[in-house]
């Protein structure tokens, strides 16, 4: 069952079942924490997908490096195992959509957080190996942005459209510990 509280603007905040209504305003610390959480989680899951796909394809795990994450040259279909980062990025976009639903929780913010992740990723790639010139890199990242943003918005909208659980006053009152009056109790 959800816990219902009221924020300072008298808007319900429901925890554990559906967390939807928020106090209006700009909270830079929350936004920075969400960005840091998204960046960390997406790079972690990307690394896990790279390890899993490399192991399943039979290549040695020693071939995994930061180059597969940050080098646009590693994402080429002409390379022997250049397909691995491409597939890992696309699968990671689905994981990113799930992370958006859990961390950001708002459909209207999904595109913002998706664009932020991929812009920061592009800056990291640029710092690591120069400006990305690979067509495969651009197509993979654009496809990943589209998948992550649209799927994230869809998941968040489904979550936002769920009914909000509000316990009835009688049920909440009886759970506090008050016994039902029974004439045979002598009360």
């Amino acid at each position: 069952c959800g816990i219902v509280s009221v924020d300072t603007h008298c808007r319900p905040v429901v925890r554990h079942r559906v967390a939807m209504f928020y106090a209006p305003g700009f909270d830079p610390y929350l936004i920075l924490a969400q960005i840091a959480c998204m960046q960390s989680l997406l790079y972690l899951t990307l690394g896990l997908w790279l390890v899993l796909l490399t192991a399943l394809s039979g290549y040695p795990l020693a071939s995994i490096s930061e180059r597969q994450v940050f080098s646009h040259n590693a994402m080429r279909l002409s390379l022997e195992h250049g397909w691995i980062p491409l597939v890992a990025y696309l699968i990671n976009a689905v994981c990113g959509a799930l992370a958006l639903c859990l961390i950001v929780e708002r459909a209207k913010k999904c595109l913002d957080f998706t664009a932020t992740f991929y812009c920061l990723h592009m800056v990291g790639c640029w710092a690591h190996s120069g400006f990305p010139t690979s067509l495969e890199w651009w197509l993979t990242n654009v496809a990943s942005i589209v998948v992550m943003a649209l799927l994230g918005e869809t998941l968040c909208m489904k979550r936002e459209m769920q009914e909000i659980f509000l316990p009835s006053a009688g049920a909440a009152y009886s759970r506090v510990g008050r016994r039902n009056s029974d004439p045979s109790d002598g009360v």
Side-chain angles (χ1 to χ4, degrees), residues 160-171:
E160 288 173 359
M161 296 303 293
Q162 289 178 351
E163 291 183 22
I164 298 174
F165 175 74
L166 296 174
S168 65

Side-chain angles (χ1 to χ4, degrees), residues 102-171:
L102 295 173
I103 296 170
V104 177
E105 297 179 331
R106 302 293 303 269
K108 69 180 189 175
K109 294 181 179 181
C110 286
L111 181 61
D112 298 338
F113 279 87
T114 301
T116 301
F117 172 76
Y118 283 99
C119 285
L120 291 174
H121 177 67
M122 188 179 82
V123 169
C125 291
W126 196 346
H128 182 270
S129 59
F131 187 78
T133 56
S134 166
L135 179 64
E136 290 97 338
W137 187 91
W138 284 102
L139 291 176
T140 302
N141 280 287
V142 168
S144 297
I145 289 169
V146 170
V147 167
M148 186 169 153
L150 291 180
L151 185 59
E153 285 179 10
T154 302
L155 293 172
C156 286
M157 280 193 281
K158 282 188 177 190
R159 189 172 183 188
E160 288 173 359
M161 296 303 293
Q162 289 178 351
E163 291 183 22
I164 298 174
F165 175 74
L166 296 174
S168 65

Side-chain angles (χ1 to χ4, degrees), residues 7-184:
D7 69 3
T8 57
H9 298 289
C10 296
R11 293 197 175 105
V13 177
V14 179
R15 304 276 181 217
H16 303 295
R17 298 262 339 252
V18 179
M20 286 303 111
F21 303 116
Y22 298 94
F26 177 68
D27 188 358
Y29 296 114
L30 174 65
I31 293 170
L32 289 174
Q34 287 173 324
I35 289 171
C37 216
M38 288 294 296
Q39 292 290 128
S40 302
L41 189 61
L42 286 171
Y43 281 124
L44 176 71
T45 56
L46 180 60
L48 292 174
W49 287 118
L50 286 169
V51 167
L52 183 66
L53 290 171
T54 302
L56 289 175
S57 64
Y59 292 107
L61 291 179
S63 66
I64 298 174
S65 70
E66 84 286 344
R67 183 177 181 275
Q68 286 184 309
V69 175
F70 292 110
S71 177
H72 58 94
N73 293 321
M75 232 185 254
R76 296 201 186 249
L77 292 174
S78 59
L79 297 175
E80 182 182 357
H81 56 279
W83 63 271
I84 293 175
L86 276 98
V87 174
Y89 270 79
L90 293 173
I91 296 171
N92 201 48
V94 175
C95 294
L98 294 171
L100 285 171
C101 186
L102 295 173
I103 296 170
V104 177
E105 297 179 331
R106 302 293 303 269
K108 69 180 189 175
K109 294 181 179 181
C110 286
L111 181 61
D112 298 338
F113 279 87
T114 301
T116 301
F117 172 76
Y118 283 99
C119 285
L120 291 174
H121 177 67
M122 188 179 82
V123 169
C125 291
W126 196 346
H128 182 270
S129 59
F131 187 78
T133 56
S134 166
L135 179 64
E136 290 97 338
W137 187 91
W138 284 102
L139 291 176
T140 302
N141 280 287
V142 168
S144 297
I145 289 169
V146 170
V147 167
M148 186 169 153
L150 291 180
L151 185 59
E153 285 179 10
T154 302
L155 293 172
C156 286
M157 280 193 281
K158 282 188 177 190
R159 189 172 183 188
E160 288 173 359
M161 296 303 293
Q162 289 178 351
E163 291 183 22
I164 298 174
F165 175 74
L166 296 174
S168 65
Y173 188 64
S174 66
R175 276 190 244 147
V176 173
R178 183 175 192 274
R179 295 183 332 178
N180 295 332
S181 60
D182 186 5
S184 65

